[in-house]
Amino acid sequence: MLKRFSRRTFARLFGSAAIAPAALTNLATSAAGQTTKSAATARSFPQGFLWGSATASYQVEGAVNEDGRGPSIWDTFSHTEGKTNNGDTGDVADDHYHRYKEDVQLMKALGLKTYRFSVAWPRVFPQGAGAPNPKGLDFYNRLVDELLTNNIQPYCTLFHWDLPQALEDKGGWQSRFASEAFATYAGYVAQHLSDRVKYFMTLNEMRSFVDIGYRDGRHAPGLKLPPAGVNQVRHHAVLAHGLGVQAIRASAKPGTKVGLAENATTTVPVIETPEQIAAAKKAYREVNAGYLTAIMEGRYTDAYLTHAGADAPKFTDAEMKAIGSPVDFVGLNIYNPSYVRADDSPLGFATVPAPASFPHMMSNWLHVGPEALYWGPKLATEVWNVKEIYITENGASSADVLTPDGHVYDSDRVMFFRNYLTQLHRAASEGVPVRGYFCWSLLDNYEWADGYAYRFGIHYVDFKTQKRTPKLSAHFYKEVISRNGVA
Ligand code: FCB
């Protein structure tokens, strides 16, 4: 039953009997910081907001031995005993390589304006470098054409972790050669797709593939390098981005936009007071010093280098200049918050560890903190004056159950999206230049070392039959798209 509040009850609940509705609006805006001009209204996102969905090559494509594709580090890793949940591999995944037309129809039914996919480097350069494989590139030609025919704008990521195994055999990201090979590959793809693809992202989540893959050993290639090694890998990753930006600019059609999709740690003030907000802002630069900060500023912060000491990465001025190549937009993958508080240490902030009781989705790491979707884009804009921001990933795993009559009532995922999108709307209505949002993910897919047990899709996939079923969250998202606002 709908509960009605009298004006008096409402005022009591909010602490003052004298507050009129207009004053409430003013309070809301001043508490949230400066209000700037925005085309967002009280209910809607700005006109033309790009609603999308994202996937990644190894997580959905399958067809690992087709049309001349070379092996990637994820083929090797997932086929190594004990490395992935249940021994799951991406050999078949969603069989998207063969079913992409059907999947584009799912996108169309949702009303998606845009789709973010990644190109598998070992399809295009089976050896990582050297001779390209035109048959591999052709898959992406077909996919892009199919998207455009259905009025869906393609957004293309060039590296979503499936490094050609041949490069790993030469040292992978431990070697500067990988950064150079990436630039050649990125330039080649941009040259062939930029007549139809206007937005390219260089690398996806450097923090994840560097730290989890080369430091913790839980992702491919499964290494546990000492700090100096990890710092050098990190440097080669940001260098690959910078050289990639330059290569794309040199070979793409005029008007092509270049950025990246990074999971910058989203610092969130524990309490929204000026002091705590200032601490979160300082923290945003420092905790992302090896990645997004280096890219946006073309230098490593003093604190980063001091902290690394003798293990600091080796780099040249010319490399830092390349790393700082201006980007046209910043893509942020945002899942969870990192709460920060002010303190009187030299850096002026401390991270607040999450208590064991902190609510999370099915993945333990996925703490539910919707305000991350407000603070992420807001801090990126304030710290670096970014003019164009996309949320390139956001979504949730849940313990989905297909009912006997063929439904998936993922009400927890709907709750997740509704709350996160409300916070994104808050950012847009303050004028933070968020231009689009890509939900992760269109389909249940291969969730890396977690295998197929962790479902992130808004479409349920029966991995035996490859049947796709829209979940409740797909219906919810369709409603959001058609209203251009939180449903
Ligand atoms: C991100 C990855 C993406 C997917 C989601 C759940 O870190 O970029 O491939 O695994 O998490």
Side-chain angles (χ1 to χ4, degrees):
M1 206 178 63
L2 197 66
K3 197 166 176 182
R4 286 178 185 278
F5 290 126
S6 68
R7 175 73 73 84
R8 182 188 301 240
T9 321
F10 186 79
R12 183 167 44 76
L13 285 173
F14 287 86
S16 160
I19 295 179
L24 274 178
T25 318
N26 290 341
L27 265 187
T29 48
S30 58
Q34 305 112 313
T35 314
T36 48
K37 253 202 279 144
S38 154
T41 67
R43 302 279 313 173
S44 357
F45 279 79
Q47 245 188 352
F49 191 81
L50 278 185
W51 293 104
S53 185
T55 64
S57 43
Y58 190 71
Q59 293 181 275
V60 297
E61 286 177 359
V64 290
N65 293 317
E66 270 175 68
D67 296 330
R69 176 188 181 276
S72 80
I73 55 172
W74 270 95
D75 296 282
T76 311
F77 186 77
S78 64
H79 280 272
T80 307
E81 216 188 310
K83 297 292 184 196
T84 69
N85 188 16
N86 200 32
D88 289 346
T89 74
D91 287 1
V92 179
D94 291 317
D95 195 29
H96 176 72
Y97 194 79
H98 300 114
R99 294 170 195 260
Y100 68 95
K101 287 192 176 173
E102 183 191 331
D103 292 337
V104 171
Q105 287 315 305
L106 295 179
M107 300 176 207
K108 198 174 172 186
L110 285 172
L112 285 196
K113 315 279 182 232
T114 176
Y115 172 60
R116 173 178 171 238
F117 65 95
S118 80
V119 172
W121 184 348
R123 283 199 196 283
V124 182
F125 285 91
Q127 296 301 311
N133 169 35
K135 269 189 145 182
L137 186 69
D138 267 355
F139 169 65
Y140 303 102
N141 276 318
R142 294 195 294 278
L143 173 63
V144 164
D145 289 346
E146 190 68 17
L147 289 165
L148 291 173
T149 305
N150 287 281
N151 246 324
I152 298 169
Q153 263 200 64
Y155 272 53
C156 174
T157 310
L158 290 153
F159 179 72
H160 200 128
W161 307 355
D162 40 2
L163 185 75
Q165 181 61 44
L167 287 182
E168 186 57 35
D169 296 343
K170 295 195 174 86
W173 291 111
Q174 294 182 73
S175 153
R176 191 185 195 277
F177 181 67
S179 318
E180 289 159 12
F182 173 76
T184 308
Y185 150 71
Y188 178 84
V189 175
Q191 184 193 346
H192 289 86
L193 296 186
S194 61
D195 55 337
R196 289 153 294 152
V197 177
K198 296 297 162 210
Y199 281 77
F200 286 91
M201 284 144 285
T202 53
L203 288 85
N204 178 75
E205 294 197 3
M206 290 173 285
R207 181 187 295 282
S208 302
F209 77 80
V210 172
D211 292 0
I212 311 178
Y214 289 82
R215 182 192 67 194
D216 306 341
R218 288 184 290 112
H219 275 188
L223 300 181
K224 291 185 180 171
L225 298 178
V230 179
N231 291 340
Q232 202 60 39
V233 165
R234 187 174 295 129
H235 177 68
H236 291 146
V238 288
L239 179 62
H241 159 82
L243 297 177
V245 169
Q246 296 181 343
I248 294 167
R249 291 239 163 85
S251 58
K253 296 266 181 291
T256 304
K257 295 210 180 191
V258 195
L260 75 171
E262 177 58 355
N263 59 331
T265 295
T266 307
T267 55
V268 171
V270 266
I271 306 174
E272 293 192 8
T273 60
E275 189 198 6
Q276 306 297 343
I277 292 172
K281 195 164 161 179
K282 258 188 228 154
Y284 197 69
R285 269 190 82 235
E286 287 303 343
V287 299
N288 295 305
Y291 298 106
L292 199 53
T293 308
I295 286 170
M296 300 311 287
E297 301 183 10
R299 60 184 292 272
Y300 292 121
T301 66
D302 295 341
Y304 176 72
L305 293 177
T306 309
H307 181 256
D311 294 326
K314 308 213 172 347
F315 58 87
T316 64
D317 289 349
E319 286 175 350
M320 293 316 295
K321 196 155 179 239
I323 291 166
S325 303
V327 288
D328 298 303
F329 67 93
V330 169
L332 297 171
N333 292 3
I334 298 181
Y335 289 88
N336 46 9
S338 173
Y339 291 102
V340 161
R341 62 176 174 81
D343 82 347
D344 38 16
S345 64
L347 286 175
F349 67 86
T351 299
V352 179
S357 56
F358 205 99
H360 60 80
M361 300 301 290
M362 188 169 159
S363 312
N364 292 339
W365 57 267
L366 216 175
H367 291 158
V368 181
E371 60 276 33
L373 221 46
Y374 170 75
W375 286 106
K378 185 174 168 75
L379 291 179
T381 313
E382 286 187 358
V383 174
W384 298 302
N385 196 20
V386 181
K387 295 283 192 296
E388 188 171 347
I389 294 184
Y390 293 87
I391 303 304
T392 33
E393 282 183 30
N394 171 248
S397 49
S398 94
D400 296 321
V401 177
L402 189 63
T403 61
D405 59 343
H407 295 285
V408 179
Y409 295 109
D410 53 341
S411 51
D412 55 345
R413 185 178 284 110
V414 172
M415 174 282 293
F416 181 99
F417 280 133
R418 183 183 286 121
N419 285 284
Y420 274 72
L421 286 174
T422 300
Q423 292 290 327
L424 186 63
H425 178 262
R426 179 184 171 204
S429 58
E430 280 182 24
V432 175
V434 200
R435 305 284 180 241
Y437 169 91
F438 295 81
C439 86
W440 185 273
S441 179
L442 181 71
L443 304 167
D444 291 336
N445 57 44
Y446 180 68
E447 181 49 22
W448 308 112
D450 286 340
Y452 294 102
Y454 288 74
R455 293 173 177 271
F456 274 87
I458 58 173
H459 291 92
Y460 184 89
V461 177
D462 177 332
F463 291 105
K464 289 203 187 77
T465 62
Q466 291 295 342
K467 183 169 187 274
R468 280 86 160 120
T469 304
K471 303 179 190 174
L472 187 63
S473 53
H475 297 294
F476 169 80
Y477 194 43
K478 184 177 174 164
E479 194 61 37
V480 168
I481 296 172
S482 74
R483 295 181 192 199
N484 194 32
V486 183

